[in-house]
């Protein structure tokens, strides 16, 4: 009887990775559990992950990746905000840690796969292809667009065919202590969502107040530091202008924030860098696809113009609201992820 290869289960302490561990063992894999220590304050999650691993009879490892996490995720996060961008740290963490550093550890321990609780699907043919999860409400394919063919060859997503409720039912049936544990919604190193306080503490800087400008460049008020505002933001501006206004632009050098009406937020064209093609090779000519610029938006029809050197220009058929530099643009063909990149500029 053919022996399954070893698999390392990336265990966060949450219900999804615990169910992924159980399902992988049920398939006959020789499993080991592993948790990445990313912050000094993740003790409870490590304890929960270890308890599930012990209950399943799996060896369990904790890898201290606090330094790597700081260098690959937290510092770029802070630098991006200081440049006027709105970064997506989960994408960086997936690229450099979960499917970078952790995959290296797995291979060093003789494992053929890293298994995670992500809601997405992988299929193999002429090349590995990434697909949306069956549960569209939990789909995480947007955050995985940077995976390479080499990484996809060593990754398994057992929850891709399940709904979240089915995963919880498996966890309850197995008596996992985290079966009803609440999903984390925030950035792990900004648990209260107050990223401005995080930036001040992390960088040791105070970000000075400056001017709110209208679209004609007239001063209309004072802001609390340009880093504290994101494109499309309406709440917390403290401006009385007789009509609702939204953040439409930022000039980090001049420390100004431009506000305007909702219609000023709609644009059709963007440039993106660090492009990664997953399910298809890089196209040699312009192509049509569905695209989205935020994880929770519905994909919209667009034309893609590859420009070489990891750059692509995307032109949407209809203007899209608050396309934000620093975020990802990800392309789909029905449920298949074609690729994606980091938005650098709205044209």
């Amino acid at each position: 009887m053919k022996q399954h290869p070893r698999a390392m289960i990336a265990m966060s302490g949450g219900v999804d990775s615990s169910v992924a561990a159980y399902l992988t063992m049920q398939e006959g894999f020789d499993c080991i559990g592993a948790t990445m220590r990313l912050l000094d304050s993740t003790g409870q999650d490590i304890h929960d992950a270890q308890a599930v691993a012990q209950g399943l009879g799996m060896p369990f490892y904790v890898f201290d990746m606090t330094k790597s996490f700081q260098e690959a995720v937290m510092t770029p996060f802070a630098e991006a905000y200081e440049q006027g961008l709105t970064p997506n740290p989960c994408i960086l963490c997936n690229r450099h840690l979960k499917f970078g550093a952790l995959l290296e550890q797995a291979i060093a321990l003789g494992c053929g796969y890293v298994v995670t609780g992500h809601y997405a699907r992988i299929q193999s043919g002429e090349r590995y292809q990434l697909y949306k999860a069956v549960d569209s409400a939990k789909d995480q394919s947007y955050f995985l667009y940077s995976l390479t063919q080499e990484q996809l060859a060593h990754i398994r997503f057992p929850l891709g065919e399940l709904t979240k409720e089915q995963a919880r039912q498996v966890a309850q049936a197995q008596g996992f202590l985290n079966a009803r544990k609440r999903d984390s919604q925030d950035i792990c190193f900004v648990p209260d969502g107050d990223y401005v306080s995080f930036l001040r503490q992390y960088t040791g800087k105070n970000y000075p107040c400056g001017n709110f400008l209208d679209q004609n460049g007239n001063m209309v008020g004072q802001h609390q530091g340009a880093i504290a505002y994101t494109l499309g933001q309406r709440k917390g501006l403290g401006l009385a202008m007789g009509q609702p206004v939204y953040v439409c632009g930022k000039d980090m050098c001049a420390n100004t924030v431009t506000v305007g009406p909702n219609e000023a937020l709609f644009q059709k064209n963007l440039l993106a860098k660090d492009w990664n093609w997953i399910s298809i090779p890089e196209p040699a000519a312009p192509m049509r696809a569905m695209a989205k610029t935020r994880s929770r938006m519905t994909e919209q029809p667009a034309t893609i113009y590859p420009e070489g050197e990891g750059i692509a220009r995307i032109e949407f058929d209809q203007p899209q609201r608050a396309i934000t530099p620093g975020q990802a643009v990800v392309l789909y063909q029905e449920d298949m992820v074609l690729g994606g990149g980091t938005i650098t500029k709205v044209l």
Side-chain angles (χ1 to χ4, degrees), residues 189-210:
F189 54 90
V190 193
D192 55 2
D194 185 357
Y195 73 87
V196 179
S197 292
F198 163 79
L199 290 171
R200 288 194 180 113
Q201 187 178 347
Y202 188 74
T203 65
K205 297 176 186 175
N206 270 320
Y207 298 99
C209 299

Side-chain angles (χ1 to χ4, degrees), residues 161 232 248 302 344:
E161 303 284 347
C248 297
T344 55

Side-chain angles (χ1 to χ4, degrees), residues 234-286:
R234 176 184 172 186
K235 290 183 178 174
L237 302 185
L239 296 172
M241 296 182 65
Q243 62 173 14
V245 291
Y246 303 80
V247 174
C248 297
K250 301 195 292 184
D251 183 331
M252 302 307 286
C253 293
N255 193 28
T256 58
V257 176
T258 300
V259 297
N262 188 51
E263 51 266 30
L265 289 167
F266 286 81
Q267 306 286 346
K268 286 177 75 169
N269 292 277
L270 66 85
L271 272 181
K273 68 172 183 177
D274 298 334
W275 200 270
N276 181 52
W277 293 97
I278 299 184
S279 300
I280 60 171
E282 179 174 356

Side-chain angles (χ1 to χ4, degrees), residues 21-295:
Y22 169 73
L23 294 175
T24 306
M25 291 192 80
Q26 289 298 103
E27 284 190 72
F29 281 81
D30 173 19
C31 296
I32 60 175
T35 295
M36 299 184 294
R37 185 189 294 280
L38 304 177
L39 304 164
D40 295 332
S41 57
T42 52
Q44 184 58 48
D45 289 336
I46 291 174
H47 175 270
D48 291 348
Q50 185 170 18
V52 171
Q54 284 179 338
L56 291 170
M58 293 185 337
F60 181 75
Y61 296 81
V62 177
F63 297 112
D64 186 353
M65 296 190 181
T66 48
K67 187 168 183 288
S68 300
F69 187 66
Q70 196 168 333
E71 291 171 355
V73 180
M74 294 169 77
T75 296
F77 177 87
E79 289 171 347
Y81 266 110
E82 290 182 341
Q83 292 163 22
L85 306 173
T86 304
N88 199 316
C90 296
I91 290 170
L92 286 177
C93 186
N94 285 334
R95 179 186 299 161
H96 296 294
L97 293 167
K98 279 195 187 107
F99 305 113
L102 191 65
L103 181 55
E104 288 174 15
Q105 293 279 8
I107 290 168
L109 287 168
C111 296
Y113 294 98
V114 162
V115 178
T116 74
H118 282 96
Y119 285 84
R121 293 175 293 161
I122 298 168
Q123 292 183 13
S124 60
E126 282 184 24
R127 61 190 286 138
Y128 289 93
Q129 296 175 323
L130 181 67
Y131 286 81
K132 287 183 183 179
V134 167
D135 186 343
S136 58
K138 295 302 294 182
D139 173 58
Q140 291 170 296
S141 60
Y142 173 87
F143 300 100
L144 298 164
Y145 79 84
S146 67
L147 292 175
T148 65
Q149 290 292 302
E150 176 61 24
Q151 289 169 328
L152 287 165
H154 296 285
I155 296 170
R156 291 175 66 85
F157 297 138
L159 303 192
E161 303 284 347
L162 300 184
T163 65
K164 179 71 184 201
E165 194 46 46
Q166 286 172 326
R168 287 206 186 276
Q169 287 167 3
V170 172
Q172 282 193 297
Q174 297 309 309
F176 292 160
L177 79 167
N178 55 12
R180 286 287 154 193
K181 189 172 180 178
R182 197 169 61 85
D183 288 349
S184 169
Q185 300 295 333
D186 296 313
I187 298 167
C188 64
F189 54 90
V190 193
D192 55 2
D194 185 357
Y195 73 87
V196 179
S197 292
F198 163 79
L199 290 171
R200 288 194 180 113
Q201 187 178 347
Y202 188 74
T203 65
K205 297 176 186 175
N206 270 320
Y207 298 99
C209 299
N211 294 331
F212 277 122
L213 306 178
D214 66 15
Q215 289 184 286
N216 297 316
N218 302 311
M219 191 187 87
V220 293
Q222 282 269 302
H223 66 66
Q224 301 299 307
I227 61 151
Y229 303 90
T230 54
L231 284 183
Q233 180 178 336
R234 176 184 172 186
K235 290 183 178 174
L237 302 185
L239 296 172
M241 296 182 65
Q243 62 173 14
V245 291
Y246 303 80
V247 174
C248 297
K250 301 195 292 184
D251 183 331
M252 302 307 286
C253 293
N255 193 28
T256 58
V257 176
T258 300
V259 297
N262 188 51
E263 51 266 30
L265 289 167
F266 286 81
Q267 306 286 346
K268 286 177 75 169
N269 292 277
L270 66 85
L271 272 181
K273 68 172 183 177
D274 298 334
W275 200 270
N276 181 52
W277 293 97
I278 299 184
S279 300
I280 60 171
E282 179 174 356
M287 63 172 287
R288 298 282 293 165
M290 304 295 281
K292 63 179 178 179
T293 58
R294 293 186 306 282
S295 63

Side-chain angles (χ1 to χ4, degrees), residues 290-311:
M290 304 295 281
K292 63 179 178 179
T293 58
R294 293 186 306 282
S295 63
R296 288 284 160 234
M297 77 179 268
T298 303
E299 302 92 72
Q300 301 295 320
T303 304
I304 293 82
Y305 299 89
E307 298 194 350
E309 297 186 355
I311 295 171

